[in-house]
């Protein structure tokens, strides 16, 4: 019998104003302001139906105050998709907040989700992949079953430092912060966090975001969309001997500049890739993994199998 191979596709539903803030731009007005919930979410639903696979959707709690967002997520949960905790307000400096506020950000999102959708999340993803030992201690206190927040990718770390430096030179401030370089030595396959959290121990289960085995190249929505169908296929072919692939996407990965986002497009390279090509890329990745015997599961199912 061949070994069990599983891929989980998760989508962080960061609404558009977070991207404007990362690039130092003022918050957008409607309709650009709500394109992740009003446009991208239905595209993900259609994609999941067409490919017959479940998704894990990481939800920012404060977005549930908008009635139509909560209704859309309720419907998706009813179709078998997982709703995960992406904090109450998506504060990039979460890991540096006082412990009580950190707790409020995690517990507040779980309560908001439970109240708005009837589903209490068991999984957590930190905003901007930035975590800390204290944050994991809070997750353990709050009985979070798993975190999927560590992204052990040197290229992403360097690109983020460069972006923050560039904005600072231009006198603009980004809301984003970078984690320490220690993170780059974190395991790249599921592990229980230790002290410090990038070493293995007996703490909260962490399902790191996908990088390639040796070079630790990023295998996330943004990089796949920029590569396009053929090269994305080739990149994931390098992963087919992994027992588990943790593919992280964003709402933005199924939007393009035509979705009223022409103001953001000059700053956000991947918005210039057409929706059609993005869809083809995702389909190509799923087809490649299926051809190698991968099954698609939600992250909570993967976490249960790990524990
Ligand atoms: Zn996010």
């Amino acid at each position: 019998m061949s070994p069990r191979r599983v891929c989980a596709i998760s989508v962080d539903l960061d609404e558009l104003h977070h991207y404007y803030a990362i690039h130092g731009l003022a918050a957008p007005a409607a309709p650009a302001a709500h394109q992740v919930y009003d446009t991208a979410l239905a595209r993900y639903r259609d994609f999941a139906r067409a490919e017959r696979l479940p998704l894990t959707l990481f939800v920012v709690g404060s977005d549930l105050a908008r009635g139509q967002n909560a209704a859309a997520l309720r419907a998706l949960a009813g179709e078998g998709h997982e709703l995960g905790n992406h904090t109450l307000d998506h504060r990039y400096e979460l890991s540096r907040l006082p412990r009580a506020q950190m707790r409020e950000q995690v517990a507040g999102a779980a309560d908001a989700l439970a109240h708005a959708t009837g589903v209490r999340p068991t999984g957590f993803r930190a905003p901007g992949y930035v975590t800390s030992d204290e944050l994991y201690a809070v997750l353990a206190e709050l009985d979070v079953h798993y975190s999927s927040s560590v992204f052990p990718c040197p290229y992403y770390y360097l690109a983020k430092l460069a972006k923050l430096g560039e904005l600072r030179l231009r006198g603009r401030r980004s809301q984003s912060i970078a984690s320490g370089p220690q993170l780059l030595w974190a395991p790249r396959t599921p592990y229980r966090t230790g002290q410090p959290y990038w070493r293995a121990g007996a703490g909260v289960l962490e399902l790191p975001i996908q990088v390639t085995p040796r070079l630790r190249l990023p295998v996330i929505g943004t990089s796949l969309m920029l590569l396009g169908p053929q090269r994305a296929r080739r990149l994931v072919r390098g992963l087919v001997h992994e027992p588990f692939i943790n593919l992280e996407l964003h709402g933005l990965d199924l939007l393009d500049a035509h979705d009223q986002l022409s103001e953001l497009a000059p700053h956000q390279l991947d918005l210039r890739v057409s929706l059609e090509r993005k869809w083809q890329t995702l389909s190509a990745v799923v087809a490649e993994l299926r051809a190698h015997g991968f099954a698609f599961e939600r992250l909570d199912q993967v976490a249960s199998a790990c524990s």
Side-chain angles (χ1 to χ4, degrees), residues 161-172:
L161 284 184
K163 177 78 197 170
L164 294 177
E166 176 209 318
L167 284 172
R168 211 163 293 144
L169 280 176
R170 282 157 50 198
R172 280 153 78 178

XYZ file of all heavy atoms in Angstrom, residues 161-172:
96
model
N 11.741 42.307 5.002
C 12.656 43.307 5.549
C 12.931 44.397 4.514
O 12.970 45.589 4.833
C 13.977 42.659 5.964
C 13.981 41.846 7.258
C 15.396 41.366 7.542
C 13.468 42.666 8.440
N 13.113 43.993 3.254
C 13.388 44.959 2.183
C 12.208 45.908 2.009
O 12.373 47.124 1.864
C 13.676 44.218 0.880
N 10.990 45.352 2.043
C 9.783 46.169 1.861
C 9.632 47.172 3.014
O 9.353 48.350 2.794
C 8.554 45.230 1.799
C 7.225 45.929 1.689
C 6.973 46.396 0.268
C 5.860 47.432 0.226
N 5.729 48.087 -1.067
N 9.870 46.708 4.242
C 9.737 47.598 5.396
C 10.786 48.718 5.319
O 10.492 49.872 5.604
C 9.894 46.812 6.711
C 8.787 45.789 7.007
C 9.081 45.031 8.288
C 7.426 46.466 7.104
N 12.016 48.359 4.892
C 13.082 49.338 4.761
C 12.769 50.366 3.694
O 12.970 51.571 3.892
N 12.229 49.901 2.580
C 11.901 50.788 1.460
C 10.828 51.802 1.878
O 10.930 52.992 1.614
C 11.409 49.930 0.286
C 10.946 50.694 -0.928
C 9.861 49.926 -1.700
O 9.995 48.712 -1.866
O 8.872 50.577 -2.094
N 9.814 51.317 2.585
C 8.745 52.220 3.031
C 9.295 53.253 4.016
O 8.927 54.421 3.980
C 7.601 51.426 3.686
C 6.683 50.689 2.716
C 5.716 49.793 3.464
C 5.893 51.680 1.853
N 10.206 52.798 4.892
C 10.770 53.703 5.893
C 11.573 54.806 5.193
O 11.490 55.977 5.551
C 11.651 52.917 6.868
C 11.666 53.517 8.260
C 12.172 52.528 9.289
N 11.268 51.401 9.475
C 11.654 50.152 9.705
N 12.929 49.843 9.747
N 10.768 49.199 9.877
N 12.332 54.437 4.149
C 13.125 55.413 3.394
C 12.232 56.470 2.759
O 12.613 57.622 2.629
C 13.924 54.714 2.288
C 15.215 54.025 2.731
C 15.844 53.289 1.558
C 16.205 55.061 3.275
N 11.024 56.021 2.334
C 10.105 56.959 1.687
C 9.230 57.679 2.708
O 8.262 58.351 2.358
C 9.244 56.210 0.669
C 10.040 55.932 -0.612
C 9.518 54.777 -1.427
N 8.084 54.858 -1.685
C 7.354 53.822 -2.060
N 7.912 52.635 -2.192
N 6.073 53.948 -2.280
N 9.568 57.507 3.989
C 8.842 58.214 5.044
C 7.445 57.666 5.278
O 6.606 58.337 5.862
N 7.187 56.427 4.772
C 5.865 55.841 4.998
C 5.996 54.694 5.991
O 7.047 54.093 6.117
C 5.283 55.340 3.678
C 4.690 56.490 2.876
C 4.722 56.205 1.427
N 3.656 55.299 1.034
C 3.456 54.925 -0.235
N 4.233 55.376 -1.188
N 2.489 54.116 -0.550
